[in-house]
Amino acid sequence: MSDETLSNLLKEDRRFEPPAEIAEHANLKEEAYERAASDRDAFWAEQAERLDWAEKWDRVLDWDDAPFAKWFVGGKLNASYNCVDRHVEAGRGDKVAIHWVGEPLDDTRDITYAQLKDEVSKAANALTELGVQTGDRVAIYLPMIPEAVVAMLACARIGAPHTVVFGGFSADALASRLDDCQAKVVITSDGGYRRGAPSALKPAVDEARTKTDVVEKVLVVRRTGQDVDWDDAVDVWWHDAVDNASAEHTPEAFDAEHPLYVMYTSGTTGKPKGILHTTGGYLVGTSYTHWAVFDLKPETDVYWCSADIGWVTGHSYMVYGPLANGATQVMYEGTPDAPERGRWWQIIQDYKVTIFYTAPTAIRSFMKQGREIPDRFDMSSLRILGSVGEPINPEAYVWYRHVIGGDRTPVVDTWWQTETGMIMISPLPGVTHGKPGSAMIPIPGISADVVTEEGTSVPHGSGGYLVLTEPWPSMLRTIWGDDERFKDTYWSKYAKEGWYFAGDGAKKDSDGDLWVLGRVDDVMNVSGHRLSTTEIESALVSHPKVAEAAVVGAKDEDTGQAVCAFVILREEAGDGGEDIVEELRNHVRKEIGAIAKPRQIMIVPELPKTRSGKIMRRLLRDVAEHREVGDVTTLADSTVMDLIKDKESSGG
Ligand code: WTA
């Protein structure tokens, strides 16, 4: 982010006080900050009491082997029991857990906690029947249908860590994830609905199986009814295996540190990182934050998080947090514009949603379409709005609050990561005033700071790196199969201080409130999705016509950042042919998925490199963002940028 944008941001001086009604009945009050800071262990122990433990812990935190944490040491619990059974046992079995809304109109299902318990139990029995044992990994590659939630909870119930792979990822991306965590079973569907049409999923699993042989069984949900290829030795229909299974299943209590799931996310190298979350601390962290940050009143609120289940937001704030809290929530299968642009607002009106959680990229696209669309709907039920995934620009924040929230609703801008598992920095809706563009301060129990390269806390009004200075219950425990990479990536930059390096830049304003500015590493944020420059570069270089590639994230009005690639072709490829750009874009789609498809590809004769051979992405970003190219004195060959600029002006 340029200094100019930054100072414009910091000039933002609109303030919104918490509404009296929310402040008065707020779940967490101002005093919680102080209380949490004065005795952290006691505060987290108090939060852990919101769960049902089969055996209580002896120690809140064991940090002796830092950065490898153990939380609630000696405690035992079952995550699925906590998300489902205990609500039924408490007499809330008839309460709706999920109002599911399919993309085709009138394709809806309301699922109560009692029904969810039966479904999860059946699926757990079916998985056991397929040979899944405690500790085995199960991959889930499903659209946004209730079976996705059921599958996750069934895995948790039998202690088989799940790895959910976003349905938009390609067969190649799926195969590398299956392989990395050695998934024994994949749960998928024939397809799902996307923009009014069925879109196939199973073929990607079939193709992935040709690239890795770890998978023994594929459990297939029938969603769209489209034709699928079938391998009798491997494929099993969900409706055969699950519907016929017993609804009786006794959940076993697992150690608090038993692995709950692995979620792959982009890092700074080509290989995605399998972020490992474990059971006790993760469930404490997600249920606490879902209750505190959204001020959840489970009896009256209707909550909706629009994230896909394939991302961490779907895990923490669609599955584990809300269900552990016994909330009633909406789950929507499709896109915001199917069959027409008001679909989301229609859903909010129909289900009287009170808490809505979405991403800035969505808000910006609605802003562009104009307020006439949301204005057609009655959204007076809304009382709290949330934002996640990337910095929310002040205009989008104010529009969200004003047009969607009718100026009544606080907006909680929540900063967190796949790695943190839970929301870390956010206003509390009944306590903190809102400042458009600022995630404000760490929530009670969390300690963060903005520091210099050397590790000194920056003064108010300055910027630096965002660090987390104390461990927290839902922190990642490691990178699956790679403890060294875990230590290197997050804990080596500030090893002396023992801080977690988040990879984000941030600024403290004159009040000491935090403004997260974006990644400081080679990770891009496109529509709230994390993508690695190196991963896309590797995909491009795997194309036979490509010799070298450099990828940068360029500022984009709609998607936050957009993927821009600079490609050098191999000599024998000549000019690559007329359709080379489209060919390469499609190649990236095939290798990774549609989300990674570059917005722009420039075929260039050279790339700007330092004398030590490092690509200077900063200069490429200048080109992609149509700026004057910055300082080129450290380039090995300073004329390279002229060649690239020439290509650009000729439209190359
Ligand atoms: C960015 C998503 C500014 C940040 C939960 C972080 C944000 C990355 C915010 C994590 C926010 C997320 N303000 N930036 N409120 N929320 N980010 O792992 O760069 O998909 O490091 O987790 O998104 O993305 P991830």
Side-chain angles (χ1 to χ4, degrees):
M1 187 168 298
S2 73
D3 285 348
E4 196 191 338
T5 333
L6 189 60
S7 52
N8 283 341
L9 263 183
L10 295 181
K11 270 193 235 119
E12 171 61 51
D13 56 5
R14 285 169 286 193
R15 298 286 178 275
F16 300 104
E17 292 305 318
E21 167 70 15
I22 294 182
E24 192 184 337
H25 304 287
N27 285 350
L28 265 196
K29 299 267 170 42
E30 177 91 47
E31 59 77 39
Y33 289 102
E34 194 42 51
R35 185 155 51 85
S38 67
D39 189 343
R40 308 171 51 78
D41 280 10
F43 182 79
W44 287 120
E46 178 190 319
Q47 303 317 318
E49 294 291 354
R50 59 184 74 250
L51 301 181
D52 273 32
W53 296 79
E55 255 173 65
K56 210 167 156 182
W57 60 91
D58 331 299
R59 196 172 163 194
V60 173
L61 167 66
D62 174 355
W63 192 229
D64 299 347
D65 186 24
F68 299 95
K70 291 197 183 79
W71 280 86
F72 307 108
V73 183
K76 283 192 166 32
L77 76 169
N78 185 289
S80 155
Y81 174 84
N82 271 281
C83 289
V84 185
D85 306 43
R86 65 174 180 148
H87 306 309
V88 179
E89 287 168 16
R92 293 189 295 270
D94 291 339
K95 186 177 180 199
V96 173
I98 300 173
H99 291 294
W100 179 74
V101 183
E103 196 186 86
L105 287 174
D106 301 323
D107 186 4
T108 61
R109 269 169 79 186
D110 282 350
I111 301 161
T112 65
Y113 274 96
Q115 289 167 336
L116 189 60
K117 174 173 177 277
D118 287 352
E119 288 304 309
V120 171
S121 300
K122 287 182 183 182
N125 283 322
L127 286 174
T128 306
E129 193 63 28
L130 288 179
V132 179
Q133 294 176 350
T134 301
D136 287 345
R137 273 79 62 206
V138 174
I140 299 174
Y141 186 66
L142 280 172
M144 289 283 285
I145 54 178
E147 286 80 359
V149 179
V150 171
M152 287 167 71
L153 293 173
C155 289
R157 198 172 185 90
I158 59 174
H162 53 73
T163 186
V164 183
V165 179
F166 174 57
F169 276 120
S170 67
D172 286 10
L174 174 63
S176 71
R177 285 155 174 80
L178 295 176
D179 208 45
D180 189 74
C181 72
Q182 302 275 298
K184 195 167 171 180
V185 168
V186 182
I187 306 178
T188 188
S189 69
D190 47 2
Y193 288 95
R194 246 13 236 162
R195 299 214 151 75
S199 132
L201 272 180
K202 174 135 191 315
V205 178
D206 297 341
E207 193 186 331
R209 283 209 302 112
T210 65
K211 297 167 199 280
T212 168
D213 55 9
V214 298
V215 175
E216 293 171 16
K217 290 284 174 195
V218 178
L219 190 55
V220 189
V221 178
R222 182 140 68 204
R223 165 66 188 132
T224 56
Q226 61 203 113
D227 280 343
V228 288
D229 287 342
W230 203 255
D231 177 348
D232 278 328
V234 175
D235 297 330
V236 181
W237 282 114
W238 173 282
H239 54 256
D240 289 336
V242 177
D243 292 0
N244 296 328
S246 157
E248 295 300 317
H249 185 276
T250 311
E252 185 186 334
F254 297 108
D255 191 273
E257 285 299 335
H258 188 78
L260 181 64
Y261 70 83
V262 178
M263 168 101 258
Y264 286 88
T265 186
S266 293
T268 52
T269 71
K271 189 172 182 279
K273 305 178 282 197
I275 303 299
L276 174 68
H277 285 292
T278 59
T279 309
Y282 176 78
L283 210 56
V284 170
T286 51
S287 60
Y288 157 62
T289 46
H290 181 253
W291 169 87
V293 174
F294 298 109
D295 191 44
L296 179 81
K297 306 287 192 267
E299 299 313 319
T300 46
D301 274 322
V302 178
Y303 166 84
W304 181 19
C305 165
S306 73
D308 191 279
I309 206 156
W311 307 111
V312 74
T313 308
H315 283 48
S316 298
Y317 298 109
M318 233 186 75
V319 180
Y320 291 107
L323 295 176
N325 288 336
T328 292
Q329 68 176 320
V330 168
M331 173 178 186
Y332 172 54
E333 178 185 32
T335 52
D337 50 1
E340 57 99 23
R341 288 164 159 192
R343 188 72 193 270
W344 276 15
W345 320 127
Q346 177 83 53
I347 294 172
I348 290 179
Q349 172 178 297
D350 289 352
Y351 289 93
K352 299 197 166 43
V353 171
T354 59
I355 305 170
F356 182 55
Y357 193 28
T358 193
T361 183
I363 300 165
R364 286 193 301 268
S365 73
F366 295 128
M367 244 173 107
K368 216 157 134 183
Q369 293 167 5
R371 65 172 299 164
E372 306 74 57
I373 300 167
D375 278 352
R376 300 201 316 260
F377 300 91
D378 174 6
M379 292 191 277
S380 57
S381 54
L382 287 171
R383 63 180 201 98
I384 288 168
L385 298 175
S387 169
V388 60
E390 54 177 318
I392 179 163
N393 41 312
E395 285 325 307
Y397 176 114
V398 171
W399 188 91
Y400 191 29
R401 191 189 142 96
H402 181 66
V403 176
I404 305 303
D407 272 331
R408 301 174 316 278
T409 55
V411 172
V412 288
D413 173 9
T414 64
W415 177 87
W416 58 294
Q417 307 177 301
T418 305
E419 291 87 341
T420 68
M422 69 184 218
I423 295 167
M424 306 295 279
I425 303 175
S426 167
L428 293 177
V431 177
T432 327
H433 63 248
K435 255 186 211 182
S438 169
M440 305 302 284
I441 56 171
I443 61 164
I446 298 304
S447 310
D449 201 355
V450 181
V451 301
T452 63
E453 188 74 37
E454 292 73 36
T456 324
S457 180
V458 306
H460 291 188
S462 303
Y465 298 120
L466 182 63
V467 293
L468 300 168
T469 55
E470 296 285 349
W472 63 101
S474 64
M475 63 201 290
L476 78 164
R477 297 304 194 263
T478 190
I479 292 174
W480 186 260
D482 203 343
D483 287 349
E484 277 313 306
R485 189 174 178 197
F486 167 66
K487 286 197 277 189
D488 278 1
T489 311
Y490 306 107
W491 303 95
S492 64
K493 192 169 173 76
Y494 297 107
K496 190 160 46 71
E497 296 84 357
W499 295 338
Y500 170 90
F501 171 63
D504 277 323
K507 182 126 181 165
K508 278 184 208 164
D509 67 16
S510 52
D511 301 323
D513 293 325
L514 304 179
W515 298 66
V516 180
L517 303 173
R519 306 290 308 186
V520 293
D521 52 15
D522 293 336
V523 174
M524 292 169 289
N525 191 324
V526 179
S527 298
H529 300 321
R530 263 166 81 166
L531 295 170
S532 133
T533 51
T534 351
E535 202 178 346
I536 300 176
E537 285 164 6
S538 319
L540 284 165
V541 174
S542 74
H543 188 282
K545 290 183 185 165
V546 173
E548 230 185 311
V551 166
V552 297
K555 210 179 295 155
D556 185 285
E557 236 183 75
D558 299 329
T559 57
Q561 281 187 308
V563 180
C564 293
F566 296 80
V567 170
I568 305 179
L569 296 178
R570 292 183 189 215
E571 257 178 55
E572 65 268 26
D575 68 357
E578 211 179 303
D579 300 325
I580 182 70
V581 167
E582 228 12 60
E583 190 177 328
L584 294 179
R585 293 180 73 223
N586 286 329
H587 180 70
V588 174
R589 180 184 30 206
K590 183 185 158 292
E591 291 286 308
I592 304 174
I595 46 169
K597 219 172 142 179
R599 177 187 74 183
Q600 183 186 2
I601 295 182
M602 282 177 66
I603 308 294
V604 292
E606 285 294 343
L607 288 171
K609 287 185 186 159
T610 61
R611 283 176 199 94
S612 60
K614 202 168 156 5
I615 293 175
M616 292 192 70
R617 290 208 176 77
R618 172 172 63 78
L619 299 177
L620 294 175
R621 213 170 291 130
D622 288 341
V623 175
E625 293 175 354
H626 311 291
R627 262 195 311 274
E628 224 13 71
V629 172
D631 183 8
V632 295
T633 49
T634 51
L635 281 181
D637 174 359
S638 60
T639 60
V640 165
M641 287 317 291
D642 298 334
L643 290 174
I644 295 178
K645 294 286 294 181
D646 281 354
K647 276 302 268 192
E648 198 211 5
S649 45
S650 68

